[in-house]
Amino acid sequence: MTEGTVYSMLIICSISHFLNDMIQSIIPSIYPIIKDEYGFTFAQIGIITLIFQMTSSILQPFTGLYADKHPRPYALSVGMCFTLIGLVLLAFAENYLLILLAVSIVGLGSSVFHPTASRVAQMASGGKKSLAQSIFQVGGNGGYAIGPLLAALIIIPHGLHAVRWFAIIAVVASSVLYYVGRWHVKALANHRKVNAVTWSTAKTYAMRWKIFFVVLLFILMFSKNFYTASMTNYYTFFLIDKFGVTVQTSQYCLFVFLASQVVGTLVGGWIGDNYGRKSVILFSIFGAAPFTIALPYLTNLWATIVLSVVIGMVMASAFSAILVFATDLMPHHTGIVAGLFYGLSFGAAGVGSALFGYIADAWGIDSVLKISTLLPLIGIGAVFLPKMNKEKQ
């Protein structure tokens, strides 16, 4: 309990992340359904995204700060109960305000989950922080990828009321998280080490410089998440508009894009552990720019799908590297760092995605992808990150 990597707990954390993010990904997956059923505009869809991201993301730094100071292991299970309530309400929502309320409650459950679950994963890492974060994140990527697939198979054929079946998944997830909470209690009681560091800066920096580097990492994470959010929310509409595919086919294409991120996360974690995280971040974000810029101009559906897979793999490889880089700089603030990078960056990306809804109404859905393709160019900022040296343990 006091040392070594607890792979069983990392796998359980990954499974719980899979279940949580699978439920969360249902929300953007049903946008085409609610748009057609209720006659919403793209701007109204953007506001739904904004509310969802605000509650699921903006609150995370605050829950992470609280988790650092006052660990509440069973908060994970309680948070999933909020998700359960939101799903039931969404299944029977009859107007726009009820839909907004439902997605906000679903998002609240996620805001509790990520900071505390990240702390547990780091606690179980035994010093292998990149490995732990990759295993944990793969669960989330896998869940977020399969959500649109389940929406295509279950919700689209049967309507919005079919969302209630996902409440069963929320009950299962709450039970799994209760077990995670029990392990967390024992780990805290045995004073298990959380912040073993395997990489450190080549030279000593004052706190103001560390804060600057964390802010820079946040900007890089934001550019990545902003682009990913734009793809998640508008890629299906783009395919329907440009290639005339069905809603169900567009969901399968979205699943392929999201699934590619699972592979990218694992590869990026391995490269970061062996060759350094700075190079991974630079290649993952800035290196993806040529592919993202080319995507909206392709005229072949299959070429578009293949290029989306390349983009998904390349951009996803940066996530673990960025988050662990930040925790290496701030090793005693894992909860708030996780809250900032899981929450605030996703929330800020959601705000930008909401604004894209107005752009889609005014200039067309094609313009959304053409503008968002420029975001990875921000990745050039990675050259200003400090050099890190690997410590042998």
Side-chain angles (χ1 to χ4, degrees):
M1 178 63 71
T2 57
E3 60 182 14
T5 304
V6 187
Y7 289 99
S8 59
M9 184 49 55
L10 290 177
I11 292 173
I12 293 173
C13 285
S14 183
I15 292 172
S16 64
H17 200 185
F18 175 90
L19 296 174
N20 179 82
D21 283 24
M22 178 176 64
I23 295 172
Q24 299 295 315
S25 70
I26 292 297
I27 304 302
S29 298
I30 63 175
Y31 285 169
I33 299 175
I34 60 177
K35 185 178 185 298
D36 291 339
E37 185 171 337
Y38 295 95
F40 294 155
T41 65
F42 282 114
Q44 288 177 304
I45 295 294
I47 292 174
I48 293 174
T49 301
L50 173 61
I51 296 298
F52 179 57
Q53 293 288 358
M54 289 285 285
T55 56
S56 65
S57 304
I58 300 300
L59 291 178
Q60 285 193 38
F62 301 101
T63 57
L65 178 62
Y66 186 84
D68 282 334
K69 295 182 177 180
H70 309 284
R72 293 290 186 271
Y74 294 109
L76 290 169
S77 185
V78 174
M80 187 55 63
C81 292
F82 282 105
T83 301
L84 172 62
I85 295 170
L87 287 173
V88 174
L89 182 60
L90 181 62
F92 298 99
E94 297 180 351
N95 56 60
Y96 189 62
L97 290 179
L98 282 178
I99 290 175
L100 291 179
L101 177 61
V103 299
S104 67
I105 296 175
V106 173
L108 182 61
S110 183
S111 71
V112 175
F113 173 81
H114 285 106
T116 303
S118 292
R119 281 180 54 84
V120 175
Q122 293 299 317
M123 195 173 284
S125 68
K128 300 177 181 178
K129 297 175 69 175
S130 290
L131 173 64
Q133 194 60 50
S134 293
I135 294 174
F136 176 69
Q137 185 59 28
V138 160
N141 286 350
Y144 211 85
I146 203 171
L149 181 62
L150 294 178
L153 295 174
I154 299 173
I155 300 177
I156 291 177
H158 301 97
L160 189 60
H161 291 306
V163 170
R164 67 183 183 271
W165 294 110
F166 289 89
I168 299 174
I169 297 175
V171 173
V172 173
S174 183
S175 302
V176 173
L177 291 171
Y178 178 80
Y179 178 81
V180 173
R182 289 181 59 187
W183 184 89
H184 195 184
V185 169
K186 294 178 181 179
L188 292 172
N190 286 275
H191 305 289
R192 182 177 178 84
K193 293 181 180 180
V194 181
N195 293 309
V197 180
T198 55
W199 288 80
S200 61
T201 54
K203 65 178 184 177
T204 303
Y205 290 95
M207 180 56 68
R208 66 178 181 276
W209 279 106
K210 290 184 178 181
I211 293 174
F212 168 77
F213 294 137
V214 170
V215 170
L216 178 57
L217 287 166
F218 178 85
I219 293 172
L220 295 171
M221 182 73 87
F222 166 76
S223 68
K224 170 193 171 306
N225 290 340
F226 195 165
Y227 179 80
T228 303
S230 299
M231 284 287 286
T232 302
N233 294 325
Y234 299 108
Y235 183 49
T236 53
F237 294 115
F238 169 77
L239 294 174
I240 293 170
D241 181 69
K242 185 166 185 176
F243 298 106
V245 301
T246 64
V247 172
Q248 197 166 29
T249 299
S250 72
Q251 295 291 342
Y252 293 139
C253 294
L254 179 59
F255 164 74
V256 171
F257 167 71
L258 296 174
S260 67
Q261 297 183 44
V262 176
V263 179
T265 300
L266 287 174
V267 173
W270 179 82
I271 295 175
D273 276 335
N274 290 277
Y275 299 103
R277 299 179 185 116
K278 181 177 177 178
S279 57
V280 174
I281 297 170
L282 181 62
F283 169 76
S284 175
I285 302 177
F286 185 68
F291 305 113
T292 62
I293 292 173
L295 183 69
Y297 300 97
L298 296 179
T299 57
N300 181 273
L301 175 61
W302 287 107
T304 302
I305 295 172
V306 170
L307 193 58
S308 74
V309 170
V310 175
I311 293 170
M313 290 180 61
V314 173
M315 294 202 74
S317 64
F319 187 91
S320 296
I322 294 175
L323 184 58
V324 176
F325 204 126
T327 57
D328 284 344
L329 291 169
M330 300 286 190
H332 302 293
H333 302 282
T334 304
I336 189 171
V337 168
L340 283 169
F341 284 84
Y342 268 112
L344 192 58
S345 64
F346 278 101
V351 172
S353 182
L355 294 176
F356 274 169
Y358 290 93
I359 295 175
D361 284 333
W363 299 337
I365 194 68
D366 189 62
S367 62
V368 171
L369 263 70
K370 289 181 179 178
I371 296 173
S372 65
T373 55
L374 303 176
L375 291 167
L377 294 174
I378 298 175
I380 192 63
V383 300
F384 298 106
L385 292 172
K387 181 181 178 181
M388 303 287 281
N389 289 333
K390 189 174 184 179
E391 297 180 352
K392 294 183 180 180
Q393 297 188 349

